[in-house]
Amino acid sequence: DVKVTQSSRYLVKRTGEKVFLECVQDMDHENMFWYRQDPGLGLRLIYFSYDVKMKEKGDIPEGYSVSREKKERFSLILESASTNQTSMYLCASSPGGAGEKLFFGSGTQLSVL
Amino acid sequence: QKEVEQNSGPLSVPEGAIASLNCTYSDRGSQSFFWYRQYSGKSPELIMFIYSNGDKEDGRFTAQLNKASQYVSLLIRDSQPSDSATYLCAVNFGNEKLTFGTGTRLTIIP
């Protein structure tokens, strides 16, 4: 089974803090994605990556950055957390091809106070 | 802006009946279509995908695609209480990523 592991299930941070969300997959997938999920807005793509050291902006990249130094690890960075970044963050990976058949991690519920 | 639309529900269906979930999308050139199931407090999991017009069956699930009318649906036969979840429709618009609808919440009534 594909396993996508997110480092924290719940996080509480203060406004202005730098926040790192980590994601690791164990199936040698090429593609990795970061989404956020908010009630009534569904899943929205923040950033994605097709290869090590490569990244592409999704639909809502503002206020976020990413890092992919190794194939299995994809990190989401909130440079200066704000209250409107309180959300459920979901990491996903896929084996290749156009972002299909996503396998999701269990999610990180981030609260920014 | 490429869009995927779903009725948010909730949709209530008696146990044993057929649940019908619908999704429309904005781009006629879209190539691939997915249904994900998300239980409350859990992450989405893929249950069906379809690429060609027509029906695709997998157990109690049938995905139906009509590219001319730009809709994709999911039928769940013999609905069970364990099918109660939010169902997310996702479309690949050919731009190397998936766009999700906001989901339909389905409740199966025993």
Side-chain angles (χ1 to χ4, degrees):
Chain A
D1 277 354
V2 175
K3 191 155 179 143
V4 180
T5 303
Q6 294 183 232
S7 53
S8 304
R9 184 73 177 98
Y10 299 97
L11 270 181
V12 180
K13 297 292 182 181
R14 296 207 175 274
T15 302
E17 279 193 79
K18 190 169 185 176
V19 181
F20 293 87
L21 301 182
E22 306 287 344
C23 176
V24 177
Q25 51 95 3
D26 67 357
M27 284 301 291
D28 201 35
H29 283 176
E30 301 294 325
N31 305 337
M32 297 188 74
F33 305 81
W34 275 106
Y35 287 87
R36 63 178 282 179
Q37 186 172 31
D38 301 287
L41 296 177
L43 279 160
R44 293 179 292 167
L45 182 63
I46 305 170
Y47 266 97
F48 57 109
S49 169
Y50 293 131
D51 201 353
V52 175
K53 297 192 187 294
M54 294 187 68
K55 60 185 179 184
E56 298 282 344
K57 292 181 180 179
D59 299 317
I60 52 163
E62 297 79 18
Y64 303 94
S65 63
V66 290
S67 172
R68 195 168 181 198
E69 296 296 320
K70 293 185 178 181
K71 189 175 185 179
E72 67 270 19
R73 186 180 297 271
F74 192 36
S75 302
L76 180 69
I77 304 155
L78 288 66
E79 295 290 343
S80 177
S82 63
T83 55
N84 63 12
Q85 292 178 310
T86 291
S87 185
M88 170 65 77
Y89 289 87
L90 289 161
C91 175
S93 71
S94 73
E100 58 191 44
K101 301 181 189 175
L102 299 178
F103 296 87
F104 285 89
S106 56
T108 297
Q109 178 62 53
L110 173 67
S111 297
V112 182
L113 306 179
Chain B
Q1 179 80 0
K2 314 266 186 181
E3 293 186 338
V4 179
E5 301 282 344
Q6 293 181 259
N7 187 323
S8 62
L11 176 65
S12 296
V13 174
E15 183 175 357
I18 296 175
S20 177
L21 304 158
N22 298 312
C23 171
T24 59
Y25 57 94
S26 60
D27 184 356
R28 189 162 294 186
S30 303
Q31 295 298 316
S32 48
F33 308 85
F34 304 84
W35 284 99
Y36 286 79
R37 177 177 62 201
Q38 186 174 25
Y39 291 116
S40 180
K42 302 293 186 182
S43 55
E45 57 177 333
L46 179 67
I47 54 171
M48 290 287 287
F49 59 91
I50 187 166
Y51 302 141
S52 305
N53 272 331
D55 294 0
K56 179 182 179 182
E57 189 173 315
D58 184 2
R60 295 186 297 112
F61 298 97
T62 299
Q64 298 177 318
L65 175 62
N66 184 324
K67 288 189 176 182
S69 300
Q70 295 173 231
Y71 81 79
V72 56
S73 60
L74 179 70
L75 302 179
I76 307 175
R77 289 183 300 281
D78 188 23
S79 297
Q80 303 296 310
S82 59
D83 295 325
S84 296
T86 296
Y87 289 80
L88 304 171
C89 173
V91 178
N92 184 317
F93 288 116
N95 55 2
E96 305 297 317
K97 59 186 182 181
L98 284 187
T99 300
F100 284 82
T102 54
T104 298
R105 186 156 58 93
L106 173 67
T107 301
I108 306 301
I109 304 167

